[in-house]
């Protein structure tokens, strides 16, 4: 399983970015998610979307970020609005094994895309 992120970049606070993750496998049958890691900090779960499209967000991004997927394109998205400097991190796309619940965790990871928010 290969996951390739795109769409990172640098914007000012209050701006928006949209991330994409192209998967080499079917997304409809997997839990998918976005994680991020800032320098010196632990990796943080940002948002996940289950096989039934149930979504869960970190409290820090609720109301600002939206996770979605297009199963026809096997692509995962993360729309990020009202970005804050504390959102600065490397963002990773992740996928679980087929038919596993999200609670089992992620097994496949992309290489990440950098998001930098300036104040």
């Amino acid at each position: 399983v290969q996951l390739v992120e795109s769409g990172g970049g640098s914007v000012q606070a209050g701006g928006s970015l949209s991330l994409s993750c192209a998967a080499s496998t079917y997304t409809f049958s997997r839990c998918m998610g976005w994680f991020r890691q800032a320098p010196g900090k632990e990796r943080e779960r940002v948002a996940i979307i289950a096989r039934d499209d149930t979504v869960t967000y970190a409290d820090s991004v609720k109301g600002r970020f939206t996770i979605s997927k297009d199963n026809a394109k096997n692509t995962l998205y993360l729309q990020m609005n009202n970005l804050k400097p504390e959102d600065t991190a490397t963002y990773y796309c992740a996928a679980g094994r087929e038919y596993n619940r999200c609670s089992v965790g992620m097994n496949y990871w992309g290489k990440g895309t950098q998001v930098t928010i300036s104040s």
Side-chain angles (χ1 to χ4, degrees):
V1 175
Q2 292 186 332
L3 303 170
V4 180
E5 303 96 338
S6 61
S10 299
V11 297
Q12 289 190 329
S16 298
L17 283 173
S18 181
L19 304 183
S20 298
C21 170
S24 66
T25 184
Y26 295 122
T27 54
F28 79 91
S29 58
R30 301 177 187 271
C31 175
M32 305 283 297
W34 290 98
F35 293 71
R36 68 186 181 187
Q37 187 166 21
K41 294 188 176 182
E42 293 187 354
R43 185 172 61 196
E44 172 190 21
R45 188 179 73 180
V46 175
I48 57 172
I49 182 166
R51 289 185 287 118
D52 65 356
D53 290 340
T54 299
V55 299
T56 304
Y57 296 98
D59 288 343
S60 58
V61 307
K62 280 181 181 177
R64 301 189 297 121
F65 289 12
T66 302
I67 187 172
S68 62
K69 61 178 178 172
D70 185 334
N71 291 329
K73 296 181 178 180
N74 293 323
T75 301
L76 181 72
Y77 303 98
L78 185 68
Q79 177 64 40
M80 305 184 292
N81 298 328
N82 190 22
L83 284 160
K84 303 177 181 181
E86 51 264 43
D87 294 319
T88 295
T90 300
Y91 283 69
Y92 298 91
C93 173
R97 288 197 175 96
E98 272 202 312
Y99 304 112
N100 273 6
R101 294 183 177 182
C102 288
S103 57
V104 175
M106 301 298 182
N107 300 95
Y108 308 101
W109 297 86
K111 293 183 178 181
T113 185
Q114 179 66 36
V115 170
T116 302
I117 313 302
S118 58
S119 57

